[in-house]
Amino acid sequence: MTQPQPSRAVPTDARAAMEALNAEAGKLNIWLRTQANAPAQRPWFKETGLVPAGKLAQGRVAAAQMKALPHLWKWREISPYLDRIADVARTANISPIEFADRQQFLLTNPGLAGRLQVTATLRCAVSIYNSGDLAPAHMHSPNASRTILSRKGGYTTVEGERCEAERGDIILTPNGTWHDHGNDSNEPVTWIDTLDWPVLEFLDLIWLDEDMPDAPANARVQKQSLSAGHSQRLYGQGGLVPRFATTARGIGHETSPHIQYRGKDIVAALTALRGEAGDPYEGVYLDIVNPVNGASLFPTVDYGAQLLRAGEETRFKRETASTVYVVMQGRGQTEIAGTTYDWEENDIFVVPNFLWRRHVNTGSTDAVLYTMSDAPLIQKIGQYRAQGKNEKNETIQIVA
């Protein structure tokens, strides 16, 4: 068999000459290639260690590359800032849309140089609305969701369907849907906003529309044209889909017509399955899917919920998708690439792609985690793979 020939080093004088040419060519906004690119990701699926397999790429071709890092945002550390933001807005008597567009803070991944995103593909913000606050009707290209953290969750109206929310609810505002948010209760409400904004931003497809057609003069919110629970009645019974109803919501494409997923229903479904063996890598895990076709809720983002029983430990797993976790109940820890992160209720943490991770419930009661992942996007471009450690601690292919 012919042995591969080692690559020849570029002579020093030739490289110097090329760099001199580049000094001239720079003013024309061109670069004469002088080096190969060392990619960030080695063949991760061939390495069995638990430490990270990838580093920042080296070379001019990969200049300014950023790589997301594992990180955990502790609720007890970040939540006081919500109160401070809300207090400023309340004292000044200004609404969210007038006060910095939203009363919220965005989570930033320490590996992404301050960009407003938690992974390469996902953005997360935490919002607070005082009593009486509202964000007027608007529409945008990114897909978005609200994960309700407070006991009461205010309301979101989507294409005429008003969704009154409670803790644990997930409310979707798919791309191209008119929606508005508000709080008409007597206590502040908080939720997590998750968007595929970075994907659309990278593709230069971000747009926002605040001029709702046929809106009454001076209207800030849309008229409720559908009765409460409309999408729940149509699509809330598993395996039963009405033939007479249109599945289109707004002008978007390939998104779920079921707008509100109830937290109490999610927990009840998980609890009903807690006696099953579950998945060795995920515990008792439920995909939250489009009821019409079984696909992910958005083409770019997958949602799920998992239950870890008291003392339960999952096996190590890694995949080419990145996942954001929200702790809805319980306490535990997740080991990511050799580092352990302890979590409790309302904490948020991220597991970037390629990194080994495993979960442990360290509490005396069930733990429930919500997940948001870019797996659907990675699958669509043919790049999804997953590996796990079996009972012998051997690395095996889960999805090749």
Side-chain angles (χ1 to χ4, degrees), residues 116-181:
L116 301 178
Q117 53 199 77
V118 292
T119 73
T121 57
L122 296 176
R123 169 182 286 187
C124 286
V126 184
S127 298
I128 186 167
Y129 280 61
N130 288 316
S131 179
D133 283 346
L134 64 87
H138 54 286
M139 173 199 287
H140 44 64
S141 52
N143 294 293
S145 68
R146 333 253 91 71
T147 301
I148 310 302
L149 297 182
S150 51
R151 184 177 65 87
K152 293 183 178 180
Y155 68 86
T156 296
T157 304
V158 185
E159 290 292 323
E161 179 180 350
R162 181 180 167 105
C163 302
E164 298 279 354
E166 298 176 348
R167 177 172 172 80
D169 287 3
I170 299 172
I171 299 177
L172 308 182
T173 51
N175 73 85
T177 56
W178 286 103
H179 55 281
D180 51 81
H181 320 291

Side-chain angles (χ1 to χ4, degrees), residues 71-75 78 107 147-150 167-168 192 267 304-308 324-334 341-350 359-363 365-372:
H71 191 71
L72 182 143
W73 292 267
K74 298 294 293 182
W75 184 249
I78 64 177
L107 305 182
T147 301
I148 310 302
L149 297 182
S150 51
R167 177 172 172 80
I192 298 173
V267 172
Q306 64 188 123
L307 181 146
L308 301 170
V324 177
Y325 293 82
V326 182
V327 184
M328 299 308 297
Q329 66 181 57
R331 63 174 58 246
Q333 57 186 211
T334 297
Y341 300 84
D342 293 297
W343 43 257
E344 57 190 358
E345 191 171 288
N346 286 1
D347 287 354
I348 306 162
F349 63 96
V350 60
H359 308 298
V360 181
N361 181 344
T362 60
T365 60
D366 292 342
V368 174
L369 307 176
Y370 282 7
T371 64
M372 291 87 76

Side-chain angles (χ1 to χ4, degrees), residues 91-112:
T91 302
N93 193 29
I94 50 180
S95 71
I97 208 71
E98 295 166 325
F99 178 56
D101 190 47
R102 293 287 190 278
Q103 288 168 199
Q104 65 179 202
F105 54 75
L106 286 88
L107 305 182
T108 60
N109 188 293
L112 298 180

Side-chain angles (χ1 to χ4, degrees), residues 1 19 48 50 73 80 82 93 107 154 220 229 255-256 265 363 366:
M1 185 176 70
E19 293 294 0
T48 59
L50 297 177
W73 292 267
L82 284 177
N93 193 29
L107 305 182
R220 305 186 71 198
T255 59
S256 173
D265 295 336
D366 292 342

